[in-house]
């Protein structure tokens, strides 16, 4: 458990979203509505089984937002079929919306991806993705929620 930099000031990303860390009480309030499987992945750093996520074969235009705090994380235009069984993207919605953390669990050195605002575990990023970035953000479907094009709520 990392202690986030607690602050009450807003911190805007280039995309115009507040990415200041959520207060613990707010995070707990949002976490109360998660399903057990969502809690296991988002809060306990679990991984869903491949090819069972509901968003893997979603090819609609829209935005993938954080299941816990609703911060936009990926756009459909950056989604690609990696063949891994998990929804994969070559770039985040805004680089400031995700946090990269070195993960040495399971005997591997990987880079964990967390939501920049609520610190939830989302998945991992690997340097074997397609152009233009060469990155592969390998995400858990349960960590994301899909919002069809035109229905993304504006930042309050
Ligand atoms: Zn979040």
């Amino acid at each position: 458990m990392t202690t986030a930099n607690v602050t009450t000031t807003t911190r805007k990303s280039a995309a115009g979203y507040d990415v200041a860390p959520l207060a613990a009480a707010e995070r707990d309030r949002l976490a109360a509505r998660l399903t057990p499987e969502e809690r296991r992945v988002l809060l306990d750093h679990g991984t869903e089984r491949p090819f069972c996520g509901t968003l893997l074969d979603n090819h609609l235009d829209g935005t993938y937002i954080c299941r816990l705090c609703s911060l936009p994380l990926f756009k459909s235009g950056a989604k690609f079929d990696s063949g891994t069984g998990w929804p994969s993207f070559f770039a985040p919605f805004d680089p400031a919306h995700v946090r990269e953390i070195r993960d040495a669990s399971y005997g591997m050195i990987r880079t964990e991806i967390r939501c920049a605002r609520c610190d939830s575990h989302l998945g991992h990023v690997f340097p074997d993705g397609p152009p233009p970035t060469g990155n592969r953000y390998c995400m858990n479907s349960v960590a994301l929620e899909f919002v069809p094009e035109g229905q993304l709520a504006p930042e309050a």
Side-chain angles (χ1 to χ4, degrees):
M1 199 64 198
T2 53
T3 37
N5 179 18
V6 178
T7 170
T8 52
T9 57
T10 57
R11 193 187 301 162
K12 293 273 187 191
S13 68
Y17 287 83
D18 183 5
V19 291
L22 281 190
E26 174 68 0
R27 190 168 186 264
D28 289 347
R29 190 183 68 78
L30 293 171
R33 63 182 187 188
L34 296 178
T35 67
E37 172 69 355
E38 289 165 358
R39 296 183 74 91
R40 189 180 71 80
V41 171
L42 287 160
L43 306 181
D44 300 331
H45 296 195
T47 299
E48 68 189 7
R49 286 179 297 126
F51 300 106
C52 71
T54 54
L55 297 175
L56 179 62
D57 292 320
N58 180 18
H59 297 295
L60 299 172
D61 287 339
T63 307
Y64 294 83
I65 65 174
C66 176
R67 177 78 70 183
L68 186 70
C69 77
S70 301
L71 184 68
L73 298 173
F74 298 96
K75 287 180 182 165
S76 58
K79 193 170 188 282
F80 70 99
D81 183 3
S82 64
T84 59
W86 289 280
S88 303
F89 305 84
F90 58 74
F93 185 94
D94 183 307
H97 290 202
V98 294
R99 261 189 342 122
E100 297 189 358
I101 301 202
R102 186 176 178 276
D103 175 6
S105 63
Y106 301 103
M108 296 176 276
I109 304 294
R110 297 180 297 173
T111 303
E112 181 194 352
I113 294 296
R114 291 192 198 172
C115 174
R117 184 156 69 187
C118 72
D119 204 39
S120 288
H121 172 72
L122 305 171
H124 290 85
V125 62
F126 302 92
D128 57 5
T133 63
N135 289 326
R136 172 170 61 92
Y137 289 80
C138 185
M139 298 293 114
N140 292 290
S141 287
V142 301
L144 304 172
E145 189 175 335
F146 178 72
V147 180
E149 192 68 40
Q151 294 180 29
L152 189 64
E155 176 76 344

Coordinates of all heavy atoms in Angstrom, one line a residue, residues 22 66-71 73 115-120 122, ligand 1:
L22 N -7.5 10.8 -4.9 CA -8.7 10.8 -4.1 C -8.4 10.7 -2.6 O -7.5 10.0 -2.2 CB -9.6 9.7 -4.5 CG -10.4 9.7 -5.8 CD1 -11.4 8.5 -5.8 CD2 -11.2 11.0 -5.9
C66 N -12.2 4.5 -15.6 CA -11.9 3.7 -14.4 C -13.2 3.2 -13.8 O -14.1 4.0 -13.6 CB -11.1 4.6 -13.5 SG -10.8 3.8 -11.9
R67 N -13.2 1.9 -13.4 CA -14.4 1.4 -12.8 C -14.7 2.0 -11.5 O -15.8 2.2 -11.1 CB -14.2 -0.1 -12.6 CG -15.3 -0.9 -12.0 CD -16.5 -1.2 -12.9 NE -16.2 -2.2 -13.9 CZ -17.0 -2.5 -14.8 NH1 -18.2 -2.0 -14.9 NH2 -16.7 -3.5 -15.7
L68 N -13.6 2.4 -10.8 CA -13.8 3.0 -9.4 C -14.2 4.4 -9.5 O -15.2 4.9 -8.9 CB -12.6 2.7 -8.6 CG -12.7 3.1 -7.1 CD1 -13.7 2.2 -6.4 CD2 -11.4 3.1 -6.4
C69 N -13.3 5.3 -10.2 CA -13.5 6.7 -10.0 C -14.0 7.4 -11.3 O -14.1 8.6 -11.3 CB -12.2 7.4 -9.5 SG -10.9 7.5 -10.7
S70 N -14.1 6.6 -12.4 CA -14.7 7.1 -13.7 C -13.7 8.1 -14.5 O -14.1 8.7 -15.4 CB -16.0 7.9 -13.5 OG -17.0 7.0 -12.9
L71 N -12.5 8.1 -14.1 CA -11.5 8.9 -14.9 C -11.3 8.2 -16.2 O -11.1 7.0 -16.3 CB -10.1 8.9 -14.1 CG -9.0 9.8 -14.7 CD1 -9.4 11.3 -14.7 CD2 -7.7 9.5 -14.0
L73 N -9.6 6.6 -19.2 CA -8.3 5.9 -19.2 C -7.8 5.6 -20.6 O -6.6 5.7 -20.9 CB -8.3 4.7 -18.3 CG -8.6 4.9 -16.8 CD1 -8.8 3.6 -16.1 CD2 -7.5 5.7 -16.2
C115 N -4.6 3.6 -11.9 CA -5.3 4.9 -12.1 C -4.7 6.0 -11.3 O -4.4 5.8 -10.1 CB -6.8 4.7 -11.6 SG -7.7 6.3 -11.7
A116 N -4.4 7.1 -12.0 CA -3.6 8.2 -11.4 C -4.5 8.8 -10.3 O -3.9 9.4 -9.3 CB -3.2 9.2 -12.4
R117 N -5.8 8.8 -10.4 CA -6.6 9.5 -9.4 C -7.0 8.6 -8.2 O -6.9 9.1 -7.0 CB -7.9 9.9 -10.1 CG -8.8 10.8 -9.2 CD -9.7 11.7 -9.9 NE -10.7 11.0 -10.7 CZ -11.6 11.6 -11.6 NH1 -11.4 12.9 -11.8 NH2 -12.5 10.9 -12.2
C118 N -7.4 7.3 -8.4 CA -7.8 6.5 -7.2 C -6.9 5.4 -6.9 O -7.1 4.7 -5.9 CB -9.2 6.0 -7.5 SG -9.3 4.6 -8.7
D119 N -5.8 5.3 -7.6 CA -4.7 4.4 -7.3 C -5.1 2.9 -7.5 O -4.4 2.0 -7.0 CB -4.2 4.6 -5.9 CG -2.7 4.1 -5.7 OD1 -1.9 4.3 -6.6 OD2 -2.4 3.5 -4.7
S120 N -6.2 2.6 -8.2 CA -6.6 1.3 -8.4 C -5.7 0.6 -9.4 O -5.2 1.2 -10.3 CB -8.1 1.2 -8.9 OG -9.0 1.6 -8.0
L122 N -4.9 -1.5 -12.6 CA -5.6 -1.7 -13.8 C -5.1 -2.8 -14.7 O -5.8 -3.5 -15.3 CB -5.5 -0.4 -14.6 CG -6.0 0.9 -13.9 CD1 -5.7 2.1 -14.8 CD2 -7.5 0.8 -13.7
Ligands
LIG1 ZN1 -9.7 5.5 -10.8

